[in-house]
Structure formats: structure tokens, C-alpha cells
């Protein structure tokens, strides 16, 4: 390997590409042409002798080596910034970065969002990627499988609830089971979403027939359709029902566990501990109550185990 070809410019460019996983947007941010960025990334991969990303249709994803390179590039940039600040006698400034999904930001993390924090919005996969590559200091996500390469700190667990109009017959019950959903017309997320997959698997295992009312991405749109009477919606218990709707726990669905995610070697990093403290404070003041579900739920298993 010719390490003289491993330029800091190529590493910095790859870190931007890793943020977007899109050559067009990354090239625009770097103010270079898309072909020029392609060349930088290809040559970097050739120098290291490993592929840095894979293509799945139109979607790009970093390989484990790509995640490692992006993490190294950001660490190198941070060290360079600290070195230059030391040379000039100034204090280096590091802006903490928090990654989470739409639901977490809307219903759980509002108190942790403040000026001076860089926010990254994305689903579970994007949140994990942001942590793994060093783009985010801390991530918050729902996990059913614990990653082996990322520290996962339990934050809170919420039951799953059925949201329906106040006058619906099921609203009179203190809690529900999956059997109560038999024949229901449901508002559900798109098929590839983890919530949809988990719900369909549970309904199939319980042999509960149901029909599709409409597919909706995100809790707010699901609640909107439920309020219009389009169908009933199964949502996380941290999602408060708006006026006119009632939520009831489905006791034989597993609880939804939220975790804080960070790189294992950064447990004592002030940026990580500061964000984690802010997240925990926000959860304590959230309108929903974290509690175990009415049925016992197995802890997520580490990845790589059965």
C-alpha cells in the first residue's frame, strides 16, 4: 500500500460523501464536480485496497471499512483543528452532534434540542451510521438487536398502543390484546419500516386478520388519518393522542425500547456525556410515561446471536 497517496484532502472529501451517501449532494457541498468526487473516492478505496461503499439499486451504503475511514477522517479533522487552535493560542470549538428519528425528536427529545447542537435526522439505520462514522456524538434509536460495535445505553421503554376515535367501542376497554384487532382496518407505516415488520409479524403469529386502510410515513400522518376515521393506528406509547382520539395499550405487543448510542471508546467524552445528560432530562419531562408493558418483553439480543 502506497500510504503517500492517502491524502488528507481525499479523507475530508470522503467524510462529506459519507454524510450524504449521495455523490451529487456531496460534490455540491465540496464545490467540486461529481466526477472529481468519484475519482477521489475511487482512488481512496484503491489505495486502501478495500471497497468503501456498496450500491443497492439507487441506494448507497458504507462498508465496514468505509465507516472506519469516515470515522478516522473526522477524528483527523478534529485533531487538526485542535492542533491549529493550540498553535494560534485559541480554544478549539467542538459542536456536539445528536442523531435521532422524527418520532424521537417530536415526542421525546424536545428538551434536549437547543442552539449549539448539530441535529441529524434519520431513521434507525441512518442514526447508527452517523454514530459509527463519527458524524454524531450520540444517537437515539429504537433497537431490537443490539449492535456489537456500538455502546447502547438503555433510556426508556414504552408500550405499544392502539389509537382510535374517542367513541370507538374498543376505547371503553382499559387495555387491549392483538385479538381485539381482528378485522380492523389499520393505518400502518410503509412495508420496509421496522414498526410495520414487527406489527405484521405479531399479527400473523396471533392469527389475527386485518386490512390495510392506508400506508403513512411518520406518527403525525398516522394520527392524522386516524383522526379522519380512515382507520386505527398502532403507535409507540410515547406518542400522545391528539384531542378526539384515545390510546389503549396492546398488552401482548412487545415494549418499544429506546437506546442512546455512542462509540465504545467515547463513554467519558464530555460531548457524549453532556448530550446524554440532556437527553435523560428531556425524557423525564416528556408528556408520556416510560414504564414496562403489561407483559414481559425480552431484552434485545446482541447482533450476531440467535
Amino acid at each position: 500500500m502506497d500510504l503517500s497517496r492517502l491524502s488528507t484532502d481525499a479523507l475530508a472529501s470522503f467524510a462529506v460523501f459519507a454524510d450524504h451517501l449521495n455523490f451529487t449532494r456531496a460534490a455540491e457541498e465540496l464545490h467540486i464536480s461529481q466526477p472529481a468526487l468519484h475519482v477521489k473516492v475511487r482512488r481512496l478505496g484503491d489505495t486502501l485496497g478495500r471497497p468503501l461503499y456498496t450500491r443497492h439499486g439507487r441506494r448507497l451504503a458504507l462498508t465496514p471499512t468505509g465507516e472506519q475511514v469516515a470515522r478516522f477522517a473526522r477524528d483527523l479533522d478534529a485533531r487538526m483543528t485542535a492542533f491549529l487552535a493550540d498553535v494560534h493560542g485559541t480554544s478549539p470549538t467542538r459542536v456536539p452532534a445528536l442523531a435521532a428519528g422524527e418520532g424521537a425528536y417530536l415526542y421525546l427529545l424536545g428538551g434536549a434540542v437547543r442552539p449549539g447542537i448539530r441535529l441529524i435526522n434519520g431513521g434507525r439505520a441512518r442514526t447508527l451510521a452517523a454514530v459509527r462514522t463519527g458524524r454524531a456524538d450520540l444517537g437515539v434509536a429504537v433497537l431490537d438487536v443490539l449492535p456489537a460495535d456500538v455502546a447502547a445505553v438503555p433510556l426508556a421503554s414504552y408500550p405499544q398502543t392502539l389509537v382510535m376515535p374517542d367513541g370507538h367501542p374498543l376505547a371503553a376497554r382499559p387495555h387491549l390484546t392483538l385479538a381485539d384487532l381482528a378485522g380492523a382496518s389499520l393505518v400502518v407505516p410503509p412495508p420496509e419500516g421496522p414498526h410495520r415488520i414487527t406489527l405484521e409479524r405479531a399479527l400473523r403469529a396471533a392469527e389475527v386478520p386485518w386490512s390495510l386502510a392506508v400506508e403513512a410515513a411518520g406518527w403525525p400522518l398516522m394520527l392524522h388519518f386516524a383522526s379522519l376515521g380512515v382507520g386505527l393506528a398502532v403507535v409507540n406509547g410515547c406518542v400522545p393522542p391528539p384531542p378526539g382520539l384515545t390510546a389503549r395499550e396492546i398488552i401482548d405487543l412487545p415494549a418499544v425500547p429506546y437506546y442512546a448510542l455512542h462509540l465504545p471508546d467515547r463513554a467519558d467524552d464530555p460531548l457524549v456525556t453532556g448530550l446524554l445528560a440532556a437527553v435523560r432530562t428531556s425524557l423525564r419531562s416528556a408528556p408520556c410515561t416510560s414504564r414496562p408493558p403489561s407483559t414481559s418483553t425480552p431484552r434485545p439480543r446482541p447482533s450476531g446471536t440467535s
Side-chain angles (χ1 to χ4, degrees), residues 69-142:
V69 171
R71 187 164 60 246
F72 172 75
R74 292 194 177 92
D75 182 63
L76 182 63
D77 180 69
R79 290 172 181 269
M80 184 67 73
T81 299
F83 168 73
L84 293 174
D86 185 59
V87 168
H88 292 94
T90 59
S91 299
T93 57
R94 294 175 61 199
V95 177
L98 175 65
E102 178 189 58
Y105 278 128
L106 285 175
Y107 304 111
L108 296 175
L109 303 179
V113 175
R114 62 180 186 273
I117 295 180
R118 184 162 60 92
L119 304 175
I120 300 169
N121 177 221
R124 179 189 310 177
R126 190 177 181 194
T127 295
L128 276 167
V131 172
R132 285 181 171 127
T133 61
R135 186 183 179 206
D137 300 294
L138 191 76
V140 174
V142 174

Side-chain angles (χ1 to χ4, degrees), residues 10 19 26 46 84 88 106 136 161 165 207 211 215 249 260 264 282 293 301:
D19 286 350
D46 290 345
L84 293 174
H88 292 94
L106 285 175
T161 62
E207 299 182 345
S211 61
E215 292 177 349
E249 179 185 346
S282 180
R301 62 188 187 277

Side-chain angles (χ1 to χ4, degrees), residues 50-72:
R50 296 286 190 277
L52 302 181
Y53 69 93
T54 57
R55 185 181 296 274
H56 307 276
R58 300 179 62 182
R59 186 175 66 87
L60 303 181
L62 295 181
T63 63
T65 299
E67 292 177 346
Q68 187 178 12
V69 171
R71 187 164 60 246
F72 172 75

Side-chain angles (χ1 to χ4, degrees), residues 244-293:
L245 295 179
T246 295
R248 291 290 180 264
E249 179 185 346
I250 304 173
I251 62 173
D252 48 355
L253 274 180
V256 180
Y258 282 84
Y259 289 82
L261 313 170
H262 62 78
L263 293 175
D265 60 352
R266 298 193 60 194
D268 297 323
D269 188 315
L271 293 185
V272 172
T273 57
L275 283 173
L276 185 54
V279 165
R280 284 173 166 155
T281 298
S282 180
L283 290 176
R284 286 195 294 268
S285 61
C288 46
T289 302
S290 173
R291 58 188 174 89

